[in-house]
C-alpha cells in the first residue's frame, strides 16, 4: 500500500477538512477517495475510536488505500452511499466530504480518454468494468440526443451543429479515438475559444458516460438521511451544474431547490449553510495546482429538527 497519494493533489484540503469539525471518535465518509489526500487528513484528526469510509469506483484508487485499521475502502459509486452504510451497520455519520472534480491522474492518463491533450481510446469511464464508453455515446446516440447532452452538460450554444457534424463523420467511419473525435468536431470551434469549447464538449461526454448528475443527486439525497443532527456536509464543485445542485440542497433540502414549508409557512430545511459565500482557493493554491482554479467549497450543518429526518 502507498503511504502517500500517488496521482492527485487534494484541492482545498485544510478548508474542507476543517469544515467537517471532526470529532475524534466520530464516523466520517470521503465519498471521492481518489488519491486519498482528504482521507489521510481526516485520519490524522481521528482518535483510536474514529472511523472513516472511502468510496471510489475506480480500481486505480485502490493503490492509495492507507494501511490504517480505522479506514474502510468501498469500491463503488457514491450513489450507493446509503446501501453500503447499511451493509457496514452504520445508521448515522458525523460528516461527509465530496471532491467532485476529476483527478489529475485521470487527465494525465492517455489511456483513459479524459483529456484532449492525448490521443487514445475515447473511453472516459470512471468504472472500467461496465457501462458505455464515450465512443459508444458518440457513435450510437441519435443526433437529437447528442445535441441535448452537449447543451445540457457542456452548455455549448452550438450543440446542434456539433451533433450534426459528429453524425456526418460517424456515417463515414466509427469514431473510436480522441484524435478522430477532435478531427471530426474541429470545424465547430473557432481558434480563439477552441480549448474552452473542447473542454466543455469533453465535460459533457464525461458526465453522460458516468451518469454524474444522477449519481450526485442520489448521494446528496442520501446525505440528508444518513447525517446525524449537527453533522457536516462539505462539497467541492467545479462547474455550475453540480454547484447549483449542492447549493439548492443546502438551502432548500433538495437538488431542485423547491423549499418545503410547514403548517405555519416556515421553510423546512434539513441543512443550515455555514456561509453564504463559497470558499475558493487562494492565489498560492491556484499557482501550485491549476486544477483548483474553478473549485468552490460549500459547507452545511445538518439541522436537528426531527421532522427533517426521513
Amino acid at each position: 500500500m502507498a503511504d502517500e497519494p500517488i496521482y492527485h493533489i487534494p484541492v482545498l484540503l485544510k478548508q474542507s477538512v476543517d469544515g467537517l469539525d471532526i470529532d475524534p471518535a466520530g464516523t466520517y465518509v470521503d465519498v471521492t477517495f481518489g488519491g486519498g489526500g482528504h482521507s489521510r487528513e481526516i485520519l490524522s484528526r481521528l482518535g483510536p475510536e474514529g472511523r472513516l469510509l472511502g468510496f471510489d469506483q475506480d480500481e486505480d484508487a485502490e493503490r492509495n488505500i492507507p494501511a490504517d485499521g480505522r479506514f474502510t475502502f468501498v469500491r463503488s459509486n457514491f450513489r450507493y452511499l446509503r446501501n453500503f452504510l447499511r451493509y457496514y451497520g452504520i445508521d448515522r455519520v458525523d460528516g461527509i466530504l465530496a471532491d467532485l472534480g476529476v483527478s489529475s491522474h485521470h487527465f494525465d492518463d492517455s489511456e483513459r480518454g479524459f483529456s484532449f491533450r492525448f490521443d487514445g481510446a475515447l473511453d472516459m469511464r470512471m468504472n472500467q468494468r461496465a457501462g458505455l464508453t464515450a465512443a459508444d455515446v458518440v457513435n450510437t446516440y441519435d443526433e437529437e440526443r447528442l445535441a441535448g447532452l452537449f447543451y445540457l452538460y457542456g452548455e455549448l450554444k452550438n450543440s446542434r451543429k456539433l451533433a450534426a457534424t459528429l453524425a456526418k463523420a460517424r456515417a463515414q467511419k466509427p469514431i473510436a479515438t480522441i484524435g478522430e473525435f477532435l478531427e471530426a468536431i474541429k470545424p465547430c470551434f473557432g481558434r480563439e475559444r477552441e480549448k474552452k469549447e473542447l473542454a466543455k464538449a469533453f465535460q459533457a461526454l464525461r458526465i453522460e458516460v458516468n451518469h454524474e448528475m444522477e449519481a450526485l443527486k442520489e448521494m446528496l439525497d442520501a446525505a440528508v438521511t444518513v447525517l446525524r443532527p449537527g453533522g457536516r456536509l462539505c462539497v467541492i464543485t467545479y462547474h455550475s451544474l453540480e454547484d447549483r445542485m449542492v447549493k439548492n440542497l443546502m438551502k432548500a433540502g433538495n437538488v431542485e431547490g423547491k423549499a418545503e414549508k410547514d403548517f405555519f409557512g416556515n421553510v423546512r430545511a434539513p441543512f443550515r449553510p455555514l456561509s453564504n459565500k463559497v470558499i475558493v482557493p487562494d492565489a498560492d493554491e491556484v499557482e501550485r495546482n491549476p486544477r483548483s482554479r474553478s473549485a468552490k467549497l460549500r459547507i452545511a450543518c445538518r439541522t436537528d429538527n426531527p421532522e427533517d429526518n426521513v
Side-chain angles (χ1 to χ4, degrees), residues 282-290 292-293:
D282 59 24
D284 287 341
E285 178 169 4
V286 172
E287 185 176 354
R288 292 193 310 271
N289 183 11
S292 69
R293 183 176 289 108

Side-chain angles (χ1 to χ4, degrees), residues 8-17 30-32 38 78 96-102 216 219-220 233-239 242-243 246 250 278-281 285 291-299:
H8 179 65
I9 303 171
V11 172
L12 291 165
L13 176 62
K14 185 178 186 301
Q15 298 94 321
S16 58
V17 179
D30 178 354
V31 297
T32 48
H38 289 103
F78 60 38
I96 297 171
L97 186 149
D99 177 359
L100 301 178
V102 179
L216 178 58
M219 186 275 288
L220 293 174
L233 176 64
C234 300
V235 186
I236 303 169
T237 66
Y238 294 83
H239 59 78
E242 57 193 18
D243 186 60
V246 173
M250 291 183 174
V278 296
I279 299 168
V280 297
E285 178 169 4
R291 174 184 170 274
S292 69
R293 183 176 289 108
S294 59
K296 295 179 179 180
L297 169 63
R298 294 185 184 274
I299 305 170

Side-chain angles (χ1 to χ4, degrees), residues 9 63 69 78 83 92 103 164-165 177 212 215 221 223 229 252 272 306:
I9 303 171
R63 305 176 199 169
F78 60 38
N83 293 358
R92 294 295 175 100
S103 75
T165 301
T177 69
E212 291 181 24
D221 287 345
R272 175 172 56 85

Side-chain angles (χ1 to χ4, degrees), residues 249-253 260 267-272 302-303 305 308:
L249 177 92
M250 291 183 174
K251 288 195 171 183
E260 295 183 12
V267 175
R268 292 180 60 245
F271 287 104
R272 175 172 56 85
R302 183 70 168 90
T303 65
N305 184 347
D308 293 331

Side-chain angles (χ1 to χ4, degrees), residues 40-303:
R40 283 178 174 77
E41 182 64 25
I42 293 169
L43 287 168
S44 75
R45 304 187 191 193
L46 288 177
E49 303 302 315
R51 187 173 185 185
L52 173 65
L53 287 83
F55 280 69
D56 207 296
Q57 61 186 327
D58 187 353
E59 65 178 344
D60 288 353
E62 295 188 51
R63 305 176 199 169
N64 305 312
I65 296 174
D68 192 313
R70 300 168 300 171
F71 180 80
T72 301
F73 182 74
V74 182
R75 188 178 170 190
S76 180
N77 191 301
F78 60 38
R79 71 193 309 166
Y80 304 115
L81 171 64
R82 189 163 22 204
N83 293 358
F84 277 97
L85 290 180
R86 190 180 300 125
Y87 174 79
Y88 285 105
I90 300 171
D91 292 324
R92 294 295 175 100
V93 299
D94 298 279
I96 297 171
L97 186 149
D99 177 359
L100 301 178
V102 179
S103 75
S104 52
H105 163 72
H106 288 126
F107 282 129
D108 292 340
D109 186 344
S110 61
E111 296 180 3
R112 300 298 294 270
F114 286 96
S115 173
F116 52 82
R117 291 182 292 133
F118 311 104
D119 198 6
L122 193 60
D123 193 321
M124 297 196 191
R125 290 174 299 170
M126 293 290 187
N127 179 359
Q128 293 190 295
R129 296 179 294 183
L132 295 177
T133 67
D136 293 328
V137 170
V138 168
N139 288 295
T140 65
Y141 279 24
D142 64 40
E143 193 174 319
E144 189 71 21
R145 191 174 180 188
L146 274 178
L149 78 88
F150 284 122
Y151 182 78
L152 182 63
Y153 296 148
E155 300 180 291
L156 287 162
K157 295 178 180 178
N158 65 341
S159 60
R160 291 190 179 278
K161 179 182 178 182
L162 185 56
T165 301
L166 286 170
K168 184 177 180 181
R170 74 189 186 191
Q172 304 300 317
K173 176 190 173 185
I175 299 168
T177 69
I178 295 170
E180 291 168 352
F181 178 71
L182 293 177
E183 186 64 28
I185 65 174
K186 191 183 296 184
C188 298
F189 302 123
R191 186 177 296 275
E192 68 282 355
R193 288 185 54 83
E194 186 177 37
K195 285 189 177 180
K196 286 189 176 181
E197 300 297 289
L198 284 176
K200 289 181 178 181
F202 271 66
Q203 172 184 294
L205 280 177
R206 191 198 76 229
I207 290 173
E208 177 69 13
V209 166
N210 296 290
H211 308 289
E212 291 181 24
M213 294 298 98
E214 299 95 324
L216 178 58
K217 180 183 185 306
E218 290 179 34
M219 186 275 288
L220 293 174
D221 287 345
V224 177
T225 65
V226 303
L227 273 169
R228 69 164 178 80
R232 297 288 184 89
L233 176 64
C234 300
V235 186
I236 303 169
T237 66
Y238 294 83
H239 59 78
S240 60
L241 299 174
E242 57 193 18
D243 186 60
R244 190 179 306 122
M245 292 174 70
V246 173
K247 180 180 179 181
N248 285 344
L249 177 92
M250 291 183 174
K251 288 195 171 183
N254 55 71
V255 298
E256 294 82 15
K258 298 176 182 176
E260 295 183 12
K261 297 183 179 181
D262 62 19
F263 178 79
F264 301 101
N266 300 310
V267 175
R268 292 180 60 245
F271 287 104
R272 175 172 56 85
L274 296 185
S275 173
N276 289 325
K277 292 184 178 180
V278 296
I279 299 168
V280 297
D282 59 24
D284 287 341
E285 178 169 4
V286 172
E287 185 176 354
R288 292 193 310 271
N289 183 11
R291 174 184 170 274
S292 69
R293 183 176 289 108
S294 59
K296 295 179 179 180
L297 169 63
R298 294 185 184 274
I299 305 170
C301 180
R302 183 70 168 90
T303 65

